[in-house]
Amino acid sequence: MPSTWATSSILLLGDSVSASYGMQQNQGWVHLLNKQLTADNAPYKIVNASISGETTGGGLSRIASVLADRKVDHLIIELGGNDGLRGYSPKKIKNNLLQMIKIAQQHNIPVSLMKIKITPNYGPRYLKMFEAVFEDVAKETQTNLLPFFMEQIALDPTLMQKDGIHPNVKAQPLIAQYVDEQLKLLLKKD
């Protein structure tokens, strides 16, 4: 992420966790983070193109049109959780992510990939292969790999909705703060 940005646009391609599932849009972490970025006069804002239920395949089918619709200075991909919950092949997930990143890079858009983790009931073999996908893709594409932003939240039942998968309203400011810290680290890198 270039530090010389003047109101740059960070496109977030994510799933229900970023799409404010189970709450109003203005309660979600992306809205809260954008509010904070405005208050801080940050040189960038997040454009949320997240959809509940989105998979890497869905993201791949949408990415070209989403990128064509707006000026994008950086892309963050927060996808893979729904693929994992459906037991999709790690090879398929990896291929979808690689293709999305390739499309963004063809538009000269730098990409950050968010690491995703899923519940342990899929067994250690699948979990290991699933989590390796994100590290492999980041390495192969020389893409920034952001840590899983739900790591601490998912372990605290008071921050989760009854389904045990989605963060609740109380968790949203914590996610916003965490992602803000990650974005600042990215800015320092470049």
Side-chain angles (χ1 to χ4, degrees):
M1 248 195 248
S3 53
T4 55
W5 287 6
T7 40
S8 295
S9 183
I10 301 172
L11 180 70
L12 174 64
L13 201 58
D15 57 27
S16 55
V17 176
S18 296
S20 308
Y21 177 85
M23 64 195 76
Q24 299 295 317
Q25 286 294 316
N26 65 358
Q27 295 174 305
W29 72 264
V30 178
H31 178 82
L32 297 175
L33 178 53
N34 273 332
K35 219 168 133 180
Q36 186 60 50
L37 293 173
T38 300
D40 293 345
N41 289 315
Y44 52 89
K45 66 176 182 147
I46 298 175
V47 176
N48 197 355
S50 301
I51 296 178
S52 289
E54 188 75 290
T55 61
T56 57
L60 177 57
S61 70
R62 286 193 314 126
I63 192 166
S65 63
V66 171
L67 292 178
D69 284 349
R70 61 189 50 86
K71 179 183 176 292
V72 176
D73 299 293
H74 195 91
L75 172 66
I76 296 177
I77 300 173
E78 181 268 309
L79 291 172
N82 288 313
D83 300 66
L85 293 174
R86 293 173 184 162
Y88 288 176
S89 150
K91 187 177 177 182
K92 177 181 179 177
I93 299 167
K94 180 179 179 180
N95 186 48
N96 289 340
L97 291 170
L98 286 170
Q99 286 186 63
M100 276 189 273
I101 292 168
K102 183 179 177 187
I103 290 167
Q105 289 175 339
Q106 286 169 345
H107 287 81
N108 295 316
I109 299 169
V111 181
S112 291
L113 178 63
M114 196 166 289
K115 188 168 186 171
I116 303 294
K117 294 187 177 185
I118 54 173
T119 54
N121 54 317
Y122 289 82
R125 183 174 175 269
Y126 183 79
L127 283 181
K128 187 177 179 185
M129 290 187 323
F130 177 82
E131 288 183 20
V133 162
F134 300 91
E135 288 164 25
D136 293 348
V137 168
K139 198 177 288 179
E140 285 178 35
T141 59
Q142 298 180 340
T143 299
N144 290 309
L145 183 63
L146 301 174
F148 182 49
F149 69 138
M150 289 279 298
E151 189 88 50
Q152 297 306 311
I153 287 158
L155 300 174
D156 184 346
T158 67
L159 297 174
M160 298 299 287
Q161 294 182 36
K162 287 182 181 165
D163 64 10
I165 296 171
H166 297 96
N168 62 25
V169 173
K170 204 167 112 181
Q172 301 304 307
L174 301 174
I175 297 171
Q177 181 184 353
Y178 183 78
V179 174
D180 186 32
E181 289 165 7
Q182 296 305 313
L183 292 177
K184 284 175 180 159
L185 288 174
L186 270 181
L187 276 169
K188 279 183 185 171
K189 252 195 225 181
D190 294 336

